[in-house]
């Protein structure tokens, strides 16, 4: 499985944008880039995913480098509720079960 | 909002007891998963299912077993609980690219 590398922790202030980086230099052509987050005492929650083009949804934006070896999750205006562990995960186009491999993720702290 | 449920949310039980952790989803998803997460650690896939009557072992070896008799139901069983089974167990399902997770069951085996 292709691996991802994320900083262990990041800190930001409320109402400011947050850029969460992820390196995936061994990504294959069929790997989708997924982001999930896990709030304290909860199960993971889907945030966004993409393949080649940048993606936007109501939660966040995903910026994917042209060579696809890195990506950045962007929270446009962080709130205290965004404090969580964010996971960047590669998963190939589903032909069977989607076996997500979670790493350590980035623990995001939001300061009031 | 995902409709995937797990019961119980918390369970404290003695060594040697048989336990079943329940997971159900109302989205009609064929694929379902069980992950195990020790406190402060990564999630690891322990079981998954492609659909009714299909079960497969995940990447992390587990002494638990699963069954899939109905699409919406994917219970996990431990025949004889041990302290080493103390962990959080998370159930998920998916269709397409998004996995939906339940709230998890925190298990403490004394």
């Amino acid at each position: 499985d292709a691996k991802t590398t994320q900083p262990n922790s990041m800190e930001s202030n409320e109402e400011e944008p947050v850029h969460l980086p992820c390196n995936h230099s061994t990504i294959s052509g069929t790997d989708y880039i997924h982001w999930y987050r896990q709030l304290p005492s909860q199960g993971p929650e889907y945030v966004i995913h993409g393949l080649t083009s940048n993606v936007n949804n109501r939660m966040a934006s995903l910026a994917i480098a042209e060579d696809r070896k890195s990506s950045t999750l962007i929270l446009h205006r962080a709130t205290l509720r965004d404090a969580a562990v964010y996971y960047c995960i590669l998963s190939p186009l589903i032909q069977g079960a989607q076996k997500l491999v979670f790493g350590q993720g980035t623990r995001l702290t939001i300061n009031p | 909002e995902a409709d995937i449920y797990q019961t119980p949310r918390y369970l404290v039980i003695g060594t040697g007891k048989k336990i079943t952790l329940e997971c159900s989803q109302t989205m009609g998803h064929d694929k379902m998963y069980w992950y195990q997460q020790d406190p402060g650690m990564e999630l690891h896939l322990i079981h998954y299912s492609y659909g009714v009557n299909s079960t497969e072992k995940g990447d992390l070896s587990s002494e638990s077993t699963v069954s899939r008799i109905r699409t919406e139901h994917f219970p996990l069983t431990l025949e004889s609980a041990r302290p080493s089974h103390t962990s959080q167990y998370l159930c998920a399902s998916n269709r397409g690219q998004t996995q939906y997770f339940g709230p998890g069951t925190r298990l403490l085996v004394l």
Side-chain angles (χ1 to χ4, degrees):
Chain A
D1 292 327
K3 293 196 171 199
T4 63
T5 303
Q6 300 177 252
N8 288 334
S9 62
M10 289 184 65
E11 201 169 324
S12 185
N13 297 320
E14 203 175 6
E15 299 189 5
E16 289 184 358
V18 180
H19 291 235
L20 295 162
C22 181
N23 287 320
H24 30 78
S25 58
T26 58
I27 190 171
S28 75
T30 57
D31 283 338
Y32 281 81
I33 302 160
H34 297 257
W35 284 82
Y36 283 77
R37 72 180 186 181
Q38 188 172 21
L39 280 64
S41 302
Q42 295 188 26
E45 173 188 32
Y46 167 82
V47 177
I48 200 165
H49 77 276
L51 185 62
T52 56
S53 304
N54 294 345
V55 185
N56 300 297
N57 66 20
R58 63 174 180 83
M59 288 181 72
S61 296
L62 176 60
I64 302 172
E66 203 166 322
D67 62 5
R68 300 210 326 127
K69 293 184 186 298
S70 66
S71 61
T72 302
L73 178 70
I74 302 166
L75 307 178
H76 294 285
R77 210 160 160 256
T79 69
L80 295 177
R81 292 176 58 183
D82 291 321
V85 178
Y86 286 79
Y87 300 98
C88 170
I89 302 168
L90 302 182
S91 180
L93 181 66
I94 296 173
Q95 297 191 0
Q98 186 193 44
K99 299 195 289 182
L100 298 180
V101 178
F102 287 80
Q104 294 277 16
T106 297
R107 183 173 297 278
L108 176 65
T109 301
I110 303 296
N111 300 314
Chain B
E1 195 74 23
D3 295 322
I4 181 162
Y5 309 99
Q6 291 186 244
T7 57
R9 291 292 312 277
Y10 304 91
L11 180 61
V12 181
I13 202 161
T15 297
K17 300 289 186 185
K18 178 180 178 178
I19 59 172
T20 297
L21 307 184
E22 302 289 349
C23 175
S24 60
Q25 49 94 6
T26 58
M27 297 172 283
H29 291 167
D30 289 326
K31 296 165 195 169
M32 295 189 72
Y33 311 81
W34 276 102
Y35 293 84
Q36 183 176 342
Q37 184 179 33
D38 292 337
M41 303 297 286
E42 305 165 18
L43 284 85
H44 292 283
L45 181 68
I46 52 174
H47 299 283
Y48 60 98
S49 167
Y50 291 104
V52 171
N53 295 325
S54 152
T55 61
E56 303 285 343
K57 290 194 178 296
D59 301 322
L60 180 69
S61 175
S62 173
E63 294 171 349
S64 59
T65 59
V66 292
S67 62
R68 191 86 184 278
I69 298 171
R70 302 198 322 258
T71 297
E72 62 271 22
H73 199 214
F74 191 37
L76 179 146
T77 299
L78 279 164
E79 289 293 334
S80 179
R82 294 209 298 267
S84 61
H85 297 141
T86 294
S87 190
Q88 178 171 231
Y89 294 84
L90 291 149
C91 180
S93 70
N94 85 290
R95 179 184 291 150
Q97 293 291 330
T98 303
Q99 273 196 28
Y100 299 93
F101 284 81
T105 293
R106 290 186 184 272
L107 173 64
L108 173 60
V109 184
L110 302 174

